[in-house]
Amino acid sequence: MRTAAAAYRLRTRPWQADARVAHVAPVADCLGPLTTSDVEATVERLRDEGYRSVVTAALHPADRRPFIDVGFVETERLHLLLHGLGHIAPSGAIPGIDLRRGRRREHAEILAVDRAAFTPFWRLDAAGLDEALDATSAVHLQTARSGPRIVGYAVCGRAGHRGYVQRLAVDPAVQGRGVGRALLLDGLRWLRRWGAHDALVNTQEGNARSLRLYRRAGFVLQPDGLAVLQLDLSDAPTPPDASPPTGPTVAAPPDGGYW
Ligand SMILES: CC(C)(COP(=O)(O)OP(=O)(O)OC[C@H]1O[C@@H](n2cnc3c(N)ncnc32)[C@H](O)[C@@H]1OP(=O)(O)O)[C@@H](O)C(=O)NCCC(=O)NCCS
């Protein structure tokens, strides 16, 4: 028998890159590890709602089994890196660039930087940015500006004593001038100031530039990485109006950016 609780052990929403695809992420609840029937229940519901496929948040090895048992396959791998927040390098001033807190009214401009910086698969939409900003009890949205224009941003969040670099993006037009490093180090200092004892970040395995940036800033590669899994529902019936179905969503613990 499927329970309503099972259906909500995974938070679901249309995926930003393609509304026929559902994005799912485990919610941190006290019901123990996800089971195969938890995943099956949600997949069933998404199939009924007309989704064509399902993509997961980045999952730790321990969280992948129930998805794989249901037929999900790995589609992307990510490195996981940890910073001890002991030593944080000073970052010098960058001519013509200011760092300043980001405001809700600037989300559209921030998302324009995200779109310019990331390929479609990894981009955030407004719902994804809100998720990143709501994912932790304390959050720091910092922007880099060249005059009035936002040219980079970072989202860092703290949950208990653990910090997360949730998102980092710099407009390609100003990359290679230290903006990414300045935003990253600013975020690490904020995390330490607000009680985090360490900080995690993940990055796509093929993203050599960001991997170099994180390691130069003192992050250490962790033995276990993360993976994004995908399930094709192509035998699902085509929905009549093709508009994105609206699955129920559940507020969730740290899970923004590509976490
Ligand atoms: C990753 C990213 C945030 C880095 O931002 P950035 O502003 O280019 O970063 P920096 O300028 O601090 O450093 C990048 C490079 O520029 C070099 N650099 C920095 N300042 C420099 C300067 N004044 N003169 C010359 N080179 C400089 C750095 O040494 C570094 O060199 P490397 O690429 O050989 O390692 C940016 O490339 C980006 O937005 N990428 C797409 C989105 C993404 O991948 N985000 C992270 C996902 S986890």
PDB file of all heavy atoms in Angstrom, residues 145-166:
ATOM      1  N   ARG A 145      30.066  43.341  -8.856  1.00  0.00           N
ATOM      2  CA  ARG A 145      29.511  44.334  -9.776  1.00  0.00           C
ATOM      3  C   ARG A 145      30.621  45.097 -10.469  1.00  0.00           C
ATOM      4  O   ARG A 145      31.641  45.417  -9.843  1.00  0.00           O
ATOM      5  CB  ARG A 145      28.656  45.334  -9.016  1.00  0.00           C
ATOM      6  CG  ARG A 145      27.414  44.714  -8.417  1.00  0.00           C
ATOM      7  CD  ARG A 145      26.954  45.476  -7.206  1.00  0.00           C
ATOM      8  NE  ARG A 145      26.074  44.604  -6.438  1.00  0.00           N
ATOM      9  CZ  ARG A 145      24.757  44.750  -6.380  1.00  0.00           C
ATOM     10  NH1 ARG A 145      24.171  45.713  -7.050  1.00  0.00           N
ATOM     11  NH2 ARG A 145      24.037  43.946  -5.651  1.00  0.00           N
ATOM     12  N   SER A 146      30.390  45.361 -11.731  1.00  0.00           N
ATOM     13  CA  SER A 146      31.260  46.265 -12.484  1.00  0.00           C
ATOM     14  C   SER A 146      30.389  47.482 -12.763  1.00  0.00           C
ATOM     15  O   SER A 146      29.471  47.412 -13.598  1.00  0.00           O
ATOM     16  CB  SER A 146      31.698  45.576 -13.778  1.00  0.00           C
ATOM     17  OG  SER A 146      32.304  46.521 -14.635  1.00  0.00           O
ATOM     18  N   GLY A 147      30.594  48.540 -11.978  1.00  0.00           N
ATOM     19  CA  GLY A 147      29.662  49.675 -12.038  1.00  0.00           C
ATOM     20  C   GLY A 147      28.301  49.168 -11.570  1.00  0.00           C
ATOM     21  O   GLY A 147      28.232  48.426 -10.594  1.00  0.00           O
ATOM     22  N   PRO A 148      27.223  49.486 -12.291  1.00  0.00           N
ATOM     23  CA  PRO A 148      25.889  49.032 -11.838  1.00  0.00           C
ATOM     24  C   PRO A 148      25.594  47.583 -12.231  1.00  0.00           C
ATOM     25  O   PRO A 148      24.647  46.988 -11.746  1.00  0.00           O
ATOM     26  CB  PRO A 148      24.939  49.987 -12.586  1.00  0.00           C
ATOM     27  CG  PRO A 148      25.672  50.310 -13.857  1.00  0.00           C
ATOM     28  CD  PRO A 148      27.146  50.316 -13.508  1.00  0.00           C
ATOM     29  N   ARG A 149      26.414  47.014 -13.081  1.00  0.00           N
ATOM     30  CA  ARG A 149      26.095  45.697 -13.666  1.00  0.00           C
ATOM     31  C   ARG A 149      26.587  44.545 -12.791  1.00  0.00           C
ATOM     32  O   ARG A 149      27.741  44.556 -12.344  1.00  0.00           O
ATOM     33  CB  ARG A 149      26.761  45.608 -15.048  1.00  0.00           C
ATOM     34  CG  ARG A 149      26.207  44.515 -15.959  1.00  0.00           C
ATOM     35  CD  ARG A 149      26.653  44.738 -17.405  1.00  0.00           C
ATOM     36  NE  ARG A 149      28.083  44.538 -17.576  1.00  0.00           N
ATOM     37  CZ  ARG A 149      28.621  43.319 -17.824  1.00  0.00           C
ATOM     38  NH1 ARG A 149      27.854  42.254 -17.894  1.00  0.00           N
ATOM     39  NH2 ARG A 149      29.933  43.201 -17.989  1.00  0.00           N
ATOM     40  N   ILE A 150      25.732  43.573 -12.553  1.00  0.00           N
ATOM     41  CA  ILE A 150      26.141  42.376 -11.806  1.00  0.00           C
ATOM     42  C   ILE A 150      26.862  41.456 -12.781  1.00  0.00           C
ATOM     43  O   ILE A 150      26.323  41.099 -13.838  1.00  0.00           O
ATOM     44  CB  ILE A 150      24.928  41.682 -11.164  1.00  0.00           C
ATOM     45  CG1 ILE A 150      24.319  42.567 -10.071  1.00  0.00           C
ATOM     46  CG2 ILE A 150      25.331  40.316 -10.590  1.00  0.00           C
ATOM     47  CD1 ILE A 150      23.086  42.004  -9.397  1.00  0.00           C
ATOM     48  N   VAL A 151      28.111  41.079 -12.439  1.00  0.00           N
ATOM     49  CA  VAL A 151      28.914  40.253 -13.348  1.00  0.00           C
ATOM     50  C   VAL A 151      29.273  38.898 -12.724  1.00  0.00           C
ATOM     51  O   VAL A 151      29.931  38.073 -13.355  1.00  0.00           O
ATOM     52  CB  VAL A 151      30.213  41.000 -13.744  1.00  0.00           C
ATOM     53  CG1 VAL A 151      29.910  42.224 -14.587  1.00  0.00           C
ATOM     54  CG2 VAL A 151      31.047  41.356 -12.507  1.00  0.00           C
ATOM     55  N   GLY A 152      28.837  38.685 -11.472  1.00  0.00           N
ATOM     56  CA  GLY A 152      29.115  37.401 -10.831  1.00  0.00           C
ATOM     57  C   GLY A 152      28.314  37.281  -9.548  1.00  0.00           C
ATOM     58  O   GLY A 152      27.836  38.293  -9.015  1.00  0.00           O
ATOM     59  N   TYR A 153      28.094  36.042  -9.076  1.00  0.00           N
ATOM     60  CA  TYR A 153      27.409  35.886  -7.798  1.00  0.00           C
ATOM     61  C   TYR A 153      27.769  34.561  -7.164  1.00  0.00           C
ATOM     62  O   TYR A 153      28.254  33.645  -7.838  1.00  0.00           O
ATOM     63  CB  TYR A 153      25.889  36.001  -7.977  1.00  0.00           C
ATOM     64  CG  TYR A 153      25.181  34.737  -8.410  1.00  0.00           C
ATOM     65  CD1 TYR A 153      24.489  33.965  -7.477  1.00  0.00           C
ATOM     66  CD2 TYR A 153      25.197  34.322  -9.735  1.00  0.00           C
ATOM     67  CE1 TYR A 153      23.823  32.814  -7.865  1.00  0.00           C
ATOM     68  CE2 TYR A 153      24.546  33.163 -10.130  1.00  0.00           C
ATOM     69  CZ  TYR A 153      23.856  32.409  -9.186  1.00  0.00           C
ATOM     70  OH  TYR A 153      23.211  31.265  -9.597  1.00  0.00           O
ATOM     71  N   ALA A 154      27.555  34.492  -5.874  1.00  0.00           N
ATOM     72  CA  ALA A 154      27.776  33.263  -5.118  1.00  0.00           C
ATOM     73  C   ALA A 154      26.688  33.136  -4.063  1.00  0.00           C
ATOM     74  O   ALA A 154      26.237  34.136  -3.511  1.00  0.00           O
ATOM     75  CB  ALA A 154      29.145  33.269  -4.449  1.00  0.00           C
ATOM     76  N   VAL A 155      26.257  31.891  -3.831  1.00  0.00           N
ATOM     77  CA  VAL A 155      25.324  31.589  -2.742  1.00  0.00           C
ATOM     78  C   VAL A 155      26.040  30.633  -1.794  1.00  0.00           C
ATOM     79  O   VAL A 155      26.518  29.587  -2.230  1.00  0.00           O
ATOM     80  CB  VAL A 155      24.036  30.923  -3.244  1.00  0.00           C
ATOM     81  CG1 VAL A 155      23.123  30.556  -2.071  1.00  0.00           C
ATOM     82  CG2 VAL A 155      23.309  31.804  -4.249  1.00  0.00           C
ATOM     83  N   CYS A 156      26.164  31.015  -0.536  1.00  0.00           N
ATOM     84  CA  CYS A 156      26.736  30.134   0.481  1.00  0.00           C
ATOM     85  C   CYS A 156      25.709  29.982   1.588  1.00  0.00           C
ATOM     86  O   CYS A 156      25.024  30.941   1.934  1.00  0.00           O
ATOM     87  CB  CYS A 156      28.031  30.716   1.039  1.00  0.00           C
ATOM     88  SG  CYS A 156      29.352  30.734  -0.180  1.00  0.00           S
ATOM     89  N   GLY A 157      25.584  28.760   2.111  1.00  0.00           N
ATOM     90  CA  GLY A 157      24.597  28.516   3.156  1.00  0.00           C
ATOM     91  C   GLY A 157      25.198  27.725   4.298  1.00  0.00           C
ATOM     92  O   GLY A 157      26.133  26.939   4.087  1.00  0.00           O
ATOM     93  N   ARG A 158      24.660  27.964   5.516  1.00  0.00           N
ATOM     94  CA  ARG A 158      25.122  27.216   6.692  1.00  0.00           C
ATOM     95  C   ARG A 158      23.957  26.458   7.294  1.00  0.00           C
ATOM     96  O   ARG A 158      22.876  27.008   7.470  1.00  0.00           O
ATOM     97  CB  ARG A 158      25.706  28.171   7.736  1.00  0.00           C
ATOM     98  CG  ARG A 158      26.217  27.442   8.990  1.00  0.00           C
ATOM     99  CD  ARG A 158      26.692  28.399  10.039  1.00  0.00           C
ATOM    100  NE  ARG A 158      25.667  29.344  10.455  1.00  0.00           N
ATOM    101  CZ  ARG A 158      24.628  29.028  11.236  1.00  0.00           C
ATOM    102  NH1 ARG A 158      24.477  27.779  11.646  1.00  0.00           N
ATOM    103  NH2 ARG A 158      23.727  29.949  11.579  1.00  0.00           N
ATOM    104  N   ALA A 159      24.171  25.158   7.578  1.00  0.00           N
ATOM    105  CA  ALA A 159      23.183  24.344   8.289  1.00  0.00           C
ATOM    106  C   ALA A 159      23.926  23.734   9.468  1.00  0.00           C
ATOM    107  O   ALA A 159      24.844  22.908   9.256  1.00  0.00           O
ATOM    108  CB  ALA A 159      22.624  23.247   7.389  1.00  0.00           C
ATOM    109  N   GLY A 160      23.626  24.187  10.660  1.00  0.00           N
ATOM    110  CA  GLY A 160      24.399  23.761  11.822  1.00  0.00           C
ATOM    111  C   GLY A 160      25.831  24.254  11.662  1.00  0.00           C
ATOM    112  O   GLY A 160      26.050  25.413  11.318  1.00  0.00           O
ATOM    113  N   HIS A 161      26.799  23.348  11.874  1.00  0.00           N
ATOM    114  CA  HIS A 161      28.201  23.756  11.724  1.00  0.00           C
ATOM    115  C   HIS A 161      28.759  23.420  10.346  1.00  0.00           C
ATOM    116  O   HIS A 161      29.962  23.480  10.130  1.00  0.00           O
ATOM    117  CB  HIS A 161      29.052  23.099  12.825  1.00  0.00           C
ATOM    118  CG  HIS A 161      28.748  23.649  14.186  1.00  0.00           C
ATOM    119  ND1 HIS A 161      28.898  24.996  14.475  1.00  0.00           N
ATOM    120  CD2 HIS A 161      28.274  23.065  15.307  1.00  0.00           C
ATOM    121  CE1 HIS A 161      28.540  25.201  15.741  1.00  0.00           C
ATOM    122  NE2 HIS A 161      28.152  24.051  16.264  1.00  0.00           N
ATOM    123  N   ARG A 162      27.910  23.023   9.444  1.00  0.00           N
ATOM    124  CA  ARG A 162      28.380  22.698   8.095  1.00  0.00           C
ATOM    125  C   ARG A 162      28.026  23.813   7.123  1.00  0.00           C
ATOM    126  O   ARG A 162      26.891  24.308   7.128  1.00  0.00           O
ATOM    127  CB  ARG A 162      27.766  21.387   7.623  1.00  0.00           C
ATOM    128  CG  ARG A 162      28.030  21.121   6.146  1.00  0.00           C
ATOM    129  CD  ARG A 162      28.461  19.720   5.885  1.00  0.00           C
ATOM    130  NE  ARG A 162      29.838  19.484   6.365  1.00  0.00           N
ATOM    131  CZ  ARG A 162      30.368  18.277   6.360  1.00  0.00           C
ATOM    132  NH1 ARG A 162      29.649  17.252   5.933  1.00  0.00           N
ATOM    133  NH2 ARG A 162      31.581  18.065   6.800  1.00  0.00           N
ATOM    134  N   GLY A 163      29.020  24.182   6.326  1.00  0.00           N
ATOM    135  CA  GLY A 163      28.782  25.219   5.319  1.00  0.00           C
ATOM    136  C   GLY A 163      28.710  24.597   3.935  1.00  0.00           C
ATOM    137  O   GLY A 163      29.247  23.519   3.689  1.00  0.00           O
ATOM    138  N   TYR A 164      28.024  25.276   3.025  1.00  0.00           N
ATOM    139  CA  TYR A 164      27.887  24.810   1.641  1.00  0.00           C
ATOM    140  C   TYR A 164      28.143  25.973   0.698  1.00  0.00           C
ATOM    141  O   TYR A 164      27.561  27.052   0.881  1.00  0.00           O
ATOM    142  CB  TYR A 164      26.471  24.295   1.375  1.00  0.00           C
ATOM    143  CG  TYR A 164      26.090  23.088   2.197  1.00  0.00           C
ATOM    144  CD1 TYR A 164      25.569  23.233   3.479  1.00  0.00           C
ATOM    145  CD2 TYR A 164      26.258  21.807   1.697  1.00  0.00           C
ATOM    146  CE1 TYR A 164      25.237  22.124   4.240  1.00  0.00           C
ATOM    147  CE2 TYR A 164      25.924  20.690   2.455  1.00  0.00           C
ATOM    148  CZ  TYR A 164      25.419  20.853   3.718  1.00  0.00           C
ATOM    149  OH  TYR A 164      25.094  19.752   4.474  1.00  0.00           O
ATOM    150  N   VAL A 165      29.020  25.763  -0.258  1.00  0.00           N
ATOM    151  CA  VAL A 165      29.101  26.718  -1.374  1.00  0.00           C
ATOM    152  C   VAL A 165      28.088  26.209  -2.371  1.00  0.00           C
ATOM    153  O   VAL A 165      28.299  25.208  -3.050  1.00  0.00           O
ATOM    154  CB  VAL A 165      30.510  26.791  -1.975  1.00  0.00           C
ATOM    155  CG1 VAL A 165      30.543  27.754  -3.164  1.00  0.00           C
ATOM    156  CG2 VAL A 165      31.519  27.212  -0.904  1.00  0.00           C
ATOM    157  N   GLN A 166      26.925  26.894  -2.378  1.00  0.00           N
ATOM    158  CA  GLN A 166      25.796  26.385  -3.152  1.00  0.00           C
ATOM    159  C   GLN A 166      25.901  26.723  -4.624  1.00  0.00           C
ATOM    160  O   GLN A 166      25.487  25.949  -5.474  1.00  0.00           O
ATOM    161  CB  GLN A 166      24.499  26.996  -2.629  1.00  0.00           C
ATOM    162  CG  GLN A 166      24.242  26.817  -1.163  1.00  0.00           C
ATOM    163  CD  GLN A 166      23.304  25.687  -0.919  1.00  0.00           C
ATOM    164  OE1 GLN A 166      23.754  24.577  -0.736  1.00  0.00           O
ATOM    165  NE2 GLN A 166      22.028  25.953  -0.933  1.00  0.00           N
TER     166      GLN A 166
END
